[in-house]
């Protein structure tokens, strides 16, 4: 059980809404405590002068990976970053870059990290936030800039991206480290625009500047890598085994997007077997290319979002000039908050079907009440829709690589298995899922999208094209969300994971993990199954590719300054 859930159960003074918003507060912007000079001199001798140094707690998105009182700093620029990293190397410390901490997996720090551990957080979002245009189709950005700030800047210059993650608070560096993605494939007849990609944000990188070991200088230095350099391929999605300070991204002309939400299509129809007539997910993909399905647990009607390129405002659409247009999702309704609090404080997990229906009702009614069922505007304003005030909830994540023609098959098979297992658990009085299933569809990382001769594909991106199946051109992203501390969740999610690995094993489709979320489940824990960590994940990329990536990252950081115990296991 999570610290949050156990605390709620033990302390009757916690209100139901208090539980919900305490969870959000724990993962919000960290509290910074100025360093006592005498203590700093004793614990961090010879620390670089002029670098802002302080104590800070670390909390991941759901507050399940936490650490109190770690040393942290905010370098004012790349030169201070270098000074900090070389100090850490000389003194046997590890450096962990921190952006918004909007993630689940232990790629930054691991659970149980003590306050006196030789771990130094480097906050990128305070100063590494520069933005400038290198050309009419390239933007230079510090890795601490948020996606909202980046997309706003691009919009002001008539530029944009095809797809992006929904949370605008993600830092660019964090997003690139885990090949962050949105949801988009070409609609029927749609011609890709120059400067755009249907793959991950990592596929837009033209060059990056990273902190790497220089054998001749016997020190860590800044080095800029072009996308056409072999070592760059490992840095494009580095999982936290590197520190990138700046990138140049290929970008293209901005477009206006219409986003229509529907809650009237039954799951049985939307996720039907391939070849079935009706309003299937694949039929919406063919028409618009951009879909997202959110299927709340124990409900029959998913919340379906469909984006389409629309140069002019459709008559029925509401123009939006800012992002985050679903306030009912960002400010959790009282009925939902009360149910969440009761489930945690009273161990009333049997209320999962009630919570699922309450979340669906909040969405369906909220879309009408806020006039947000049909919105239109510059791409940023429909792509970004999730604020940090939303319900903090655990998520697993996988990408299934396949052909465009097989998308409906993957969706149908997965949702059928999920529904059957959820019903089987419920029949035993077990309710392992109280959030939702989320489904998105993207293209893969085609290096040609960078429009740079010799551009390399990201080695560790889940969207890396298969060398043995070049016909695979699409990824189906599958996430299952549930509250922290939910009983039987790990066992249930392990069943789903094993189904995916078994069913999409590289023959007609292939499962890869979504780096920022939950995977490698045992019956009791996440990120713990040694066979998945040591065999299935490397095999999903190919042993040669996996070994090449790990080798490059080791060579660029032979002292493992950038890493932690979990990454040491994963990239061994």
């Amino acid at each position: 059980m999570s610290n949050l859930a156990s605390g709620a159960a033990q302390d009757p003074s916690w209100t139901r809404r208090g539980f919900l918003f305490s969870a959000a507060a724990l993962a919000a912007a960290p509290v910074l405590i100025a360093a006592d000079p005498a203590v700093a001199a004793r614990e961090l001798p010879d620390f670089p002068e002029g670098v802002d140094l302080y104590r800070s707690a670390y909390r991941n998105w759901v507050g399940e990976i936490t650490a109190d009182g770690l040393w942290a700093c905010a370098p004012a620029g790349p030169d201070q970053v270098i000074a900090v990293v070389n100090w850490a190397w000389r003194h046997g410390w590890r450096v962990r870059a921190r952006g918004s901490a909007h993630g689940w997996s232990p790629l930054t720090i691991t659970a149980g990290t003590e306050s006196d551990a030789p771990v130094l957080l480097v906050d990128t979002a305070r100063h590494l936030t520069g933005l400038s245009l290198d050309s009419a189709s390239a933007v230079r950005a510090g890795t601490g800039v948020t996606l909202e700030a980046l997309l706003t800047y691009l919009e002001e210059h008539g530029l944009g991206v095809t797809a992006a993650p929904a949370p605008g608070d993600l830092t660019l560096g964090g997003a690139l480290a885990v090949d962050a993605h949105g949801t988009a494939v070409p609609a029927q007849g749609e011609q890709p625009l120059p400067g755009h990609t249907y793959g991950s944000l990592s596929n837009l990188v033209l060059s990056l500047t990273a902190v790497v070991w220089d054998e001749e200088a016997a020190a860590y230095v800044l080095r800029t890598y072009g996308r056409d350099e072999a070592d760059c391929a490992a840095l494009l999605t580095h999982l936290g085994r590197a520190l990138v300070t700046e990138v140049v991204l290929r970008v293209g002309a901005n477009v206006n997007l219409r986003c229509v939400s529907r809650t009237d299509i039954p799951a049985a129809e939307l996720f039907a077997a391939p070849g079935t007539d009706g309003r299937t997910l694949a039929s919406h993909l063919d028409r618009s290319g951009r879909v997202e399905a959110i299927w709340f647990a124990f409900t029959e009607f998913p919340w379906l979002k469909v984006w389409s390129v629309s140069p002019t405002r459709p008559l029925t659409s509401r123009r939006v000039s800012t992002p985050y247009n679903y306030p009912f999702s960002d400010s959790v309704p009282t009925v939902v908050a009360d149910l969440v609090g009761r489930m945690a404080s009273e161990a009333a997990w049997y209320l999962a079907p009630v919570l699922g229906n309450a979340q669906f009702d909040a969405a369906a009614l909220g879309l009408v009440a806020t006039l947000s069922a049909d919105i239109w505007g510059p791409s940023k304003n429909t792509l970004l829709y999730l604020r940090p005030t939303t319900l903090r909830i655990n998520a697993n994540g996988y990408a299934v690589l396949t052909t465009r023609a097989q998308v409906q098959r993957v969706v149908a098979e997965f949702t059928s298995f999920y529904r059957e297992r959820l019903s089987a658990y419920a029949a035993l009085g077990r309710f392992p899922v109280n959030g939702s299933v989320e489904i998105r569809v993207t293209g893969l990382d085609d290096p040609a999208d960078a429009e740079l001769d010799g551009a390399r594909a990201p080695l560790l991106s889940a969207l890396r094209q298969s060398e043995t199946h070049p016909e695979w051109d699409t990824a189906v992203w599958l996430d299952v969300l549930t509250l922290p501390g939910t009983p039987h969740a790990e066992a249930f999610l392990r069943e789903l994971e094993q189904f995916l690995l078994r069913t999409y094993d590289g023959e007609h489709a292939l499962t890869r993990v979504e780096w920022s979320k939950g995977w490698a489940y045992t019956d009791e824990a996440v990120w713990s199954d040694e066979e998945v960590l040591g065999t299935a994940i490397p095999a999903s990329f190919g042993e040669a590719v996996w070994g090449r990536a790990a080798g490059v990252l080791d060579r660029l950081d032979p002292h493992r300054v950038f890493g932690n115990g979990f990454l040491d296991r994963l990239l061994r």
Side-chain angles (χ1 to χ4, degrees), residues 257 318-323 325 371 374-378 381-382:
L257 289 178
R318 177 171 66 89
R319 182 191 304 268
V320 290
S321 56
T322 58
N325 290 289
L371 302 178
D374 186 352
I375 56 178
W376 172 90
N381 301 328
T382 62

Side-chain angles (χ1 to χ4, degrees), residues 34 57 86 233 259 357 403 426 447 494 549:
N86 279 306
C259 183
N357 280 274
T403 63
R494 173 176 170 78

Side-chain angles (χ1 to χ4, degrees), residues 28 38 50 92 176 198 212-213 218 237 273 322 336 348 352 388 401 450 457 467 491 521 533 567:
L176 296 175
Y198 296 102
V212 300
W213 177 253
T237 300
T322 58
V336 172
L401 275 61
E467 295 179 357
Y521 288 90
L533 292 173
L567 288 171

Side-chain angles (χ1 to χ4, degrees), residues 288-344:
S288 73
R290 298 152 175 85
V291 301
E292 175 187 69
I294 301 176
W295 185 21
F296 297 109
F298 302 100
T299 66
E300 290 302 322
F301 292 86
W303 174 10
L304 176 68
K305 296 193 192 81
V306 180
W307 290 262
S308 56
V309 177
S310 183
T312 58
R313 183 179 69 85
L315 183 62
T316 59
S317 299
R318 177 171 66 89
R319 182 191 304 268
V320 290
S321 56
T322 58
Y324 313 117
N325 290 289
Y326 307 111
F328 53 88
S329 179
D330 292 327
S331 299
V332 182
T334 299
V335 63
V336 172
D338 285 349
L339 283 166
V340 169
R342 183 178 173 190
M343 291 168 72

